[in-house]
Structures are given as structure tokens and as C-alpha cells.
Amino acid sequence: MERYEEEEYLACCGSTQFAKEMVKASPFASVHEAVSAARDIWFNKVDVNGWLEAFSAHPQIGQSPSPDHIAAAAQWSKGEQSTALATATTSTLQELSDWNARYRQKFGFIFLICASGRSTAEILADLKKRYPNRPIVEFEIAAQEQMKVTELRLAKLFSSKIKSTSKGIEHATVSVKKAEEDRVSIISGHLTTTSESSSGKASQISTRTRPPITTHVLDVSRGSPAAGVEVCLEIWKGTQPRPLFGEPDVGGWVFQGSSTTDADGRSGQLMNIVDVVNPGIYRISFNTGKYCPSGFFPCVSIVFEIKELQNREHFHVPLLFSPFSFTTYRGS
């Protein structure tokens, strides 16, 4: 059973009310239990002022945290924005800054988005898309994005405690500190792009730096990436335009590629790096039964469609998994 201090929960979500309620609800047997409690507290117990306090604790997208940020929160924030900063240019940063100012003037709070794994261009596109929203609608969306950030940071918090305990037995204090930093870096980057070697190879044949379809697996029961999970990508080529619920689909799925997740929970290259992906219905399957033989799910499959107008987009389909539950959401 893990118990944390109020300041540690403040690093996950900048609402004092949220942090106090989490301390009251603790200890938690697992990160999954902590996330469930956090959702209930955030959406049902924290008031409007608490939401605004949490929003204001974030640095503006494209900027570094201020010196008065909690150390852990500042470190995690840098990791969450690493992809955006790595893909930014002077012009896109200036445009992002201008739109951030317009957004804040209209809504009264900063533009909030779960930035992990998102490029500057992707974030800017979402900002422009959300700008026409009515304030009450945008307030709810911002709260949802805050919850995504909180869930990721809770996983980092639990993981760092587990890593600290285990390494403390085996290594000296200096080694423990390094291991904690490595684990935080791994989890905070679990939505980022593939390795530099893959990007370097891609630059020779495509303007993309990664395949158009990618995935990763996070084991929320352990609060760490899931390594060694077999992943398979297929496309629908059956006689029907699309697979039908309850109907047999033998011979309808055509293999595209397979891989096994690495220590960061990321799969290898599931398809070629191409500028334009073929539109169609795809299926990513995870051999969760082999990863955890005693778990409830022998395998998990996610089916999604890429339309003609989306064929130049990037589709990241992460799996947040525990032996007895899983969550998936599509990231850009």
C-alpha cells in the first residue's frame, strides 16, 4: 500500500484541493486504484477554483516551467513537452505563442493539452480547432486534458517509488537517483516518437520521421512500460467493405507487420515509413496473455479506421494495460 505526501500529489495536479483529497483517500494498493480515486476527486469533488488553480500550475505550451514550480512537476513538464520542443521552429513557436495569448484572452486560462508525444504543429492545430468553442465547452475539455496529464504523472509517481525501493537494496544512493531519473524519463516519454536511429533512416526515404501507425504499451498495474509484448498490425481486405460485429472474419485481415515492445514499452516498426498511408480499417493486436499468463485477457485487439482525408496524419494507438483492465485512446 503506497502513501504519498500532499506535495507529491500537487506535482501530479496543481490543485491544492485535489492533493488534500488524495491524501485523505490514500493509501492505494496500486496505481490503478489511485487513478480511479483521482478521477472521482477531480470530476466530483474539486470545484471550479480548484480546476483553475490546476490549470495555472502548468507552463504555457512551448515555454519552460518557472523556478517556483515543484521540482518533480517541472521535470515531468519538460518531458511532456519534449516532442513539441524537438519539432519546433522559430516560426511555429512564435505562432504558438501568439495563439496562446489569443486563447488566454478569450477564455481566461492557458491552453491546456496533454502534450506527450505531440509535435508543435499538432498542438497548434488542436489549439486552432478548439479556439472557436464556447467557454463552458472549452472549460470541460481543459479539465479532461488535465486528467490525462494527472494519470500519466501518477504512473510516474508510483513507478519512481517502486524503482527507488528496489534499487536502494542493490545499489548505492547515487545509483538509485540515476535509476529514478531514467524511469521518469522512460514513462514521461512513452508517447514520443521512435528511436533516433529509425528517424535517421526515415529521413532518407520520407519526410516522416516515424511510421504512420505506432503504438506503445503501459502496464498501469506496475506503473511502468510493458516490455516484451508481441504486437501485430493488420488491414481489412475482406469481401465486405468493413468487418461486421458478430460476423466471422476469417481471411479478411491481411498482415502488415509485427514487433515486440522494448524496454520503453514501444513497438518496433510495424510498417514502412511512407508519406501517405493507405486508407482503410486497421487492427492492432497485443499478445497480453503471453506477457501476463495469469491475467484476464489472453489478447487485446484495437480496430480503427483511417479515412482518405487522414492519410497524411500520424496515428498513435497506445494501450494502458493491467492484468484485469485496459484503456486505449488515439493520440495524434
Side-chain angles (χ1 to χ4, degrees):
M1 302 288 281
E2 297 292 348
R3 184 181 292 276
Y4 297 94
E5 300 298 325
E6 183 177 321
E7 183 171 322
E8 293 175 293
Y9 288 122
L10 267 175
C12 298
C13 174
S15 164
T16 304
Q17 188 179 3
F18 171 86
K20 291 182 181 297
E21 290 290 340
M22 286 293 288
V23 171
K24 290 180 183 178
S26 62
F28 302 108
S30 66
V31 66
H32 183 72
E33 185 178 309
V35 167
S36 295
R39 288 173 180 164
D40 176 62
I41 290 170
W42 177 247
F43 290 112
N44 298 317
K45 297 181 180 179
V46 177
D47 58 24
V48 170
N49 290 328
W51 281 15
L52 290 172
E53 181 187 14
F55 297 169
S56 65
H58 291 276
Q60 182 173 290
I61 295 293
Q63 295 184 353
S64 299
S66 63
D68 59 348
H69 268 74
I70 297 174
Q75 182 182 12
W76 292 339
S77 180
K78 289 180 181 179
E80 289 155 6
Q81 294 197 42
S82 60
T83 300
L85 294 177
T87 58
T89 64
T90 302
S91 60
T92 56
L93 280 177
Q94 183 59 53
E95 187 177 9
L96 184 60
S97 177
D98 292 343
W99 273 93
N100 271 319
R102 291 177 61 182
Y103 179 98
R104 186 159 195 164
Q105 183 177 13
K106 176 179 179 180
F107 296 107
F109 50 86
I110 68 165
F111 174 69
L112 191 63
I113 189 171
C114 185
S116 292
R118 291 175 177 265
S119 67
T120 300
E122 291 169 335
I123 292 172
L124 186 57
D126 276 353
L127 196 164
K128 292 178 180 179
K129 181 180 179 180
R130 286 167 50 182
Y131 182 78
N133 287 337
R134 291 181 300 158
I136 191 170
V137 173
E138 187 58 24
F139 195 51
E140 177 66 24
I141 292 175
Q144 296 283 353
E145 293 296 317
Q146 171 63 60
M147 192 65 244
K148 293 177 186 178
V149 174
T150 301
E151 290 179 19
L152 291 178
R153 292 186 179 185
L154 283 171
K156 298 169 194 175
L157 178 64
F158 274 68
S159 176
S160 63
K161 180 63 71 72
I162 294 171
K163 182 61 67 174
S164 175
T165 301
S166 62
K167 291 295 182 180
I169 298 173
E170 301 172 8
H171 303 286
T173 302
V174 174
S175 297
V176 175
K177 180 63 177 176
K178 180 63 168 61
E180 290 174 353
E181 293 173 350
D182 289 345
R183 175 58 64 201
V184 168
S185 177
I186 288 171
I187 299 179
S188 66
H190 80 278
L191 295 178
T192 60
T193 57
T194 53
S195 65
E196 291 181 5
S197 60
S198 296
S199 298
K201 181 179 179 181
S203 64
Q204 300 173 12
I205 60 175
S206 170
T207 57
R208 289 185 186 266
T209 59
R210 53 186 172 178
I213 300 175
T214 57
T215 186
H216 81 279
V217 184
L218 178 66
D219 186 340
V220 297
S221 67
R222 298 180 179 179
S224 62
V229 178
E230 296 175 354
V231 184
C232 173
L233 176 66
E234 301 163 290
I235 188 172
W236 176 256
K237 295 291 185 181
T239 56
Q240 300 291 335
R242 58 181 59 235
L244 300 176
F245 180 76
E247 295 292 328
D249 56 12
V250 178
W253 292 102
V254 177
F255 176 82
Q256 297 293 291
S258 63
S259 184
T260 302
T261 57
D262 60 15
D264 294 346
R266 303 178 189 141
S267 70
Q269 189 168 316
L270 295 173
M271 64 187 308
N272 292 330
I273 301 178
V274 294
D275 289 328
V276 180
V277 63
N278 291 327
I281 297 176
Y282 289 82
R283 179 171 71 180
I284 291 184
S285 299
F286 304 84
N287 191 354
T288 49
K290 184 176 180 180
Y291 170 76
C292 183
S294 61
F296 185 75
F297 300 99
C299 66
V300 173
S301 292
I302 302 169
V303 178
F304 58 98
E305 182 175 8
I306 299 178
K307 299 183 182 297
E308 185 72 38
L309 294 177
Q310 299 173 311
N311 61 8
R312 292 184 178 274
E313 295 183 19
H314 174 250
F315 295 82
H316 188 73
V317 188
L319 179 72
L320 276 66
F321 167 81
S322 76
F324 300 101
S325 65
F326 71 91
T327 303
T328 181
Y329 57 91
R330 189 209 137 189
S332 298

